[in-house]
Amino acid sequence: MLRGIDLTVRPGEVVALLGANGSGKSTTVKSVIGSVPLDDGDLELFGTPYGRFRAWQRIGYVPQRTTAASGVPATVREVVSTGRLTQHRLLPFRRRDREAVDRALAAVGMLERAGDGVANLSGGQHQRVLIARALVARPDLLIMDEPMAGVDVDSQQVLADILRREVERGCAVLLVLHELGPLEPLIDRAVVLRDGCVAHDGPPPKGVGQHALPGHDHVHPHADDHRTSQGLLA
Amino acid sequence: MIEMLQYDFMQRALIAAVLVGVTAPAVGIYLVQRRQALMGDGIGHVALTGVGLGFLFQTSPVWMAVLVCVLGAIVMELVRSRGNQRGDIALAMLFYGGMACGKLLVSVSAQAGSGSLESYLWGSILTVSPGDLTVIAALAAVVIAVTLGLRRQLFAICQDEEFARVTGLPVRLLNLLLAVMAAVTVTVAMRVVGLLLVSALMVVPVAAAQQLTRSFAATQAAAVALGVTVAVLGVAGSYQADLPSGPSIVLLAIAAFALLSAAATPLARRRHRAAADTGPAVCDVALPEQRTTATASGADGGAARAEDPSTSPGLAQ
């Protein structure tokens, strides 16, 4: 549960939400995208109250990667194309939609894997596909939930480079992270949550022990906590 | 083989078989994608109440079944979207209540003997009347229009519902639409394969097709092609050998599944080998203490930031 979180992400800013499991990071992000309803308080997206917000193409959402495969095979291109639905809606998928998908796939370096099944990808490749899906619509705000979870070190660097390019383009980023890792140089502001409250809001905390080491990968048994809490809240 | 086409009832049976062969997998693929493969079975149980009501009020059992199925499917969708822990109990009540209610209604209605209930349970494609065929064709046209016309939207909500909501899709509306389409498909297929086997034609062609495919679009196309093939062969075979059509169609579909899985095993093995990760098999990820993440600021700065030897292998989970 979240208590008294007052958080504003400004244009072009990279904000990291940090904190232990169960501190409310994912819940915060899910309430921003409307998956978890607010009991109380206000939510504004790009200055519009949540209830009247329609410009969803301005938000690119990268959910926490799950290993659960869907029941039917799908290719990388098919998954990424769902990010374009905001633009073409009920119209047929045209050439410029296809080009937008190609561009997003190229941005994450997955264009040559476009025809492959998503079930055969590694953790890092899968994460890149999810980012491409969010980038298709050229969002002004990227919301990412644990983008580094289960991603190997090389891919983490690739992800950091992708993110840097998006930030240079002027995109704001709200990230849920376990540790800063290779993304540290990009982050303007860190918000540390503890028990659903803001414990720190300011420059990223320096030197957080071995959690901040490059290559330190937070895949540990507690990862399950997230899944159960999502199920109950969603 | 050709002379059976001279009979009107066989022409109707074959047209109905083609329509069911197209619609059932076209809807079923979304249910399979969302791991709701048995939803069609549940709707089939509920449909029985509709058939019973049709008998009782002396109206068309098909239209009554459409009505009851749509209501049942909407209830099922609401239970699913709530994510209720006891949702499966609620669904059990719905399924068995629907089935029991149907049998009870049929037995109190004066019109029908047990023989005609049997024809809804197991299908009796050879007794499809011209009126039945018109209804089946109209309903099938709606189902095909929705499942193919909105395939990108339906794919998106079944692939990742949360992401679909953030792209601004009317997720709840699309979910209800899919549930209604599944309900309509059950009633379309009711005369051909019977309520007890309806779900098989929604699921088995999809399961068989995806043994060989990698994309969703190809799976859908192959599943529909397979559905039409087994439905037509099943009807023709049941005419030739005097067997009930529903079970023949379903067993043919399962045979196709077995055949394609056997063919796919060496293929998948080769694909798996090609995709295998060649990274180191060493795992020395240190488990950190929970509570101290990012809050123990100032512990040790730059020194700890040097090259970390404990590179975790890619797919640690």
Side-chain angles (χ1 to χ4, degrees):
Chain A
M1 292 297 101
L2 307 174
R3 290 167 287 165
I5 291 191
D6 185 1
L7 181 65
T8 307
V9 181
R10 284 173 279 274
E13 192 177 36
V14 182
V15 177
L17 279 173
L18 302 164
N21 284 331
S23 60
K25 299 175 308 230
S26 284
T27 311
T28 305
V29 164
K30 283 177 186 299
S31 64
V32 172
I33 59 161
S35 279
V36 177
L38 294 178
D39 295 330
D40 197 17
D42 303 312
L43 173 62
E44 281 192 1
L45 298 169
F46 298 99
T48 311
Y50 178 77
R52 285 193 275 127
F53 184 74
R54 295 288 176 272
W56 287 106
Q57 74 279 5
R58 298 187 71 181
I59 294 184
Y61 176 56
V62 183
Q64 193 168 5
R65 201 174 60 83
T66 58
T67 42
S70 88
V72 176
T75 61
V76 167
R77 177 179 293 282
E78 284 175 324
V79 170
V80 172
S81 296
T82 61
R84 186 72 184 173
L85 280 172
T86 335
Q87 267 95 353
H88 77 92
R89 296 187 170 279
L90 292 176
L91 301 170
F93 207 70
R94 278 172 296 190
R95 205 222 242 135
R96 62 180 156 152
D97 298 313
R98 209 182 152 77
E99 283 166 0
V101 170
D102 282 350
R103 214 168 30 239
L105 280 170
V108 300
M110 290 292 286
L111 190 53
E112 70 281 6
R113 302 290 304 263
D116 288 5
V118 280
N120 298 328
L121 301 178
S122 74
Q125 289 166 336
H126 192 201
Q127 190 68 52
R128 277 145 74 180
V129 170
L130 296 185
I131 292 174
R133 183 178 69 170
L135 292 182
V136 178
R138 303 211 126 220
D140 297 317
L141 171 63
L142 260 183
I143 298 177
M144 309 173 98
D145 196 348
E146 300 274 9
M148 297 306 193
V151 172
D152 57 284
V153 188
D154 294 342
S155 292
Q156 288 196 357
Q157 198 50 56
V158 174
L159 294 187
D161 294 341
I162 295 167
L163 215 54
R164 179 176 298 115
R165 276 200 303 277
E166 290 306 310
V167 172
E168 281 163 5
R169 186 172 67 80
C171 186
V173 183
L174 178 62
L175 286 158
V176 167
L177 287 178
H178 252 91
E179 72 285 307
L180 297 171
L183 294 179
E184 193 186 353
L186 285 171
I187 290 165
D188 300 314
R189 208 171 112 213
V191 175
V192 180
L193 297 182
R194 193 186 300 152
D195 298 330
C197 298
V198 175
H200 167 91
D201 185 352
K206 290 284 169 196
V208 285
Q210 65 157 340
H211 303 285
L213 288 174
H216 183 90
D217 192 11
H218 266 276
V219 178
H220 48 70
H222 297 283
D224 286 341
D225 294 353
H226 280 295
R227 223 158 292 140
T228 40
S229 66
Q230 275 167 33
L232 291 171
L233 291 165
Chain B
M1 202 66 184
I2 298 300
E3 90 278 357
M4 69 183 178
L5 292 174
Q6 294 162 1
Y7 302 109
D8 285 354
F9 74 92
M10 269 314 283
Q11 290 172 2
R12 287 196 296 272
L14 286 170
I15 294 171
V18 169
L19 291 172
V20 170
V22 174
T23 50
V27 171
I29 191 168
Y30 299 107
L31 303 181
V32 173
Q33 190 190 11
R34 203 155 61 178
R35 303 200 168 278
Q36 269 190 302
L38 295 181
M39 183 179 174
D41 198 43
I43 299 174
H45 284 45
V46 176
L48 209 56
T49 296
V51 172
L53 283 173
F55 280 149
L56 191 65
F57 296 122
Q58 319 259 314
T59 57
S60 156
V62 176
W63 284 115
M64 271 298 180
V66 170
L67 196 73
V68 173
C69 279
V70 166
L71 288 177
I74 289 174
V75 171
M76 279 179 228
E77 168 53 28
L78 293 178
V79 168
R80 185 198 69 85
S81 64
R82 295 275 148 80
N84 197 319
Q85 293 288 326
R86 297 180 57 196
D88 55 341
I89 302 290
L91 292 184
M93 300 293 160
L94 195 67
F95 295 176
Y96 306 121
M99 195 124 194
C101 206
K103 175 64 188 165
L104 220 64
L105 286 170
V106 170
S107 68
V108 299
S109 73
Q111 179 198 11
S114 62
S116 56
L117 178 63
E118 188 95 326
S119 80
Y120 286 95
L121 285 177
W122 299 105
S124 64
I125 194 170
L126 301 181
T127 62
V128 172
S129 69
D132 287 339
L133 190 62
T134 317
V135 173
I136 290 177
L139 293 175
V142 173
V143 172
I144 292 169
V146 169
T147 51
L148 297 184
L150 292 177
R151 66 180 190 286
R152 287 178 181 280
Q153 283 77 7
L154 294 174
F155 171 77
I157 59 161
C158 294
Q159 178 75 17
D160 188 342
E161 194 171 340
E162 190 177 43
F163 178 81
R165 195 175 293 120
V166 182
T167 58
L169 281 180
V171 171
R172 190 173 301 172
L173 191 70
L174 287 167
N175 275 328
L176 285 175
L177 190 65
L178 181 58
V180 169
M181 287 306 115
V184 171
T185 305
V186 166
T187 46
V188 167
M190 172 168 85
R191 296 305 302 268
V192 179
V193 286
L195 290 172
L196 294 178
L197 292 175
V198 153
S199 193
L201 207 50
M202 296 169 97
V203 174
V204 179
V206 177
Q210 70 185 29
Q211 300 298 319
L212 294 179
T213 53
R214 261 191 304 187
S215 77
F216 186 84
T219 309
Q220 195 171 27
V224 166
L226 205 63
V228 171
T229 309
V230 295
V232 168
L233 284 180
V235 169
S238 75
Y239 169 80
Q240 297 285 340
D242 195 21
L243 295 168
S245 57
S248 316
I249 293 171
V250 171
L251 286 178
L252 270 176
I254 290 176
F257 172 78
L259 215 69
L260 290 178
S261 327
T265 312
L267 204 77
R269 200 173 293 148
R270 201 169 58 215
R271 212 178 267 164
H272 184 75
R273 209 177 296 141
D277 200 353
T278 48
V282 201
C283 179
D284 48 0
V285 179
L287 289 184
E289 291 80 33
Q290 258 319 101
R291 295 275 157 203
T292 53
T293 317
T295 51
S297 47
D300 51 338
R305 198 133 301 147
E307 263 308 302
D308 184 9
S310 67
T311 37
S312 55
L315 288 161
Q317 45 188 347

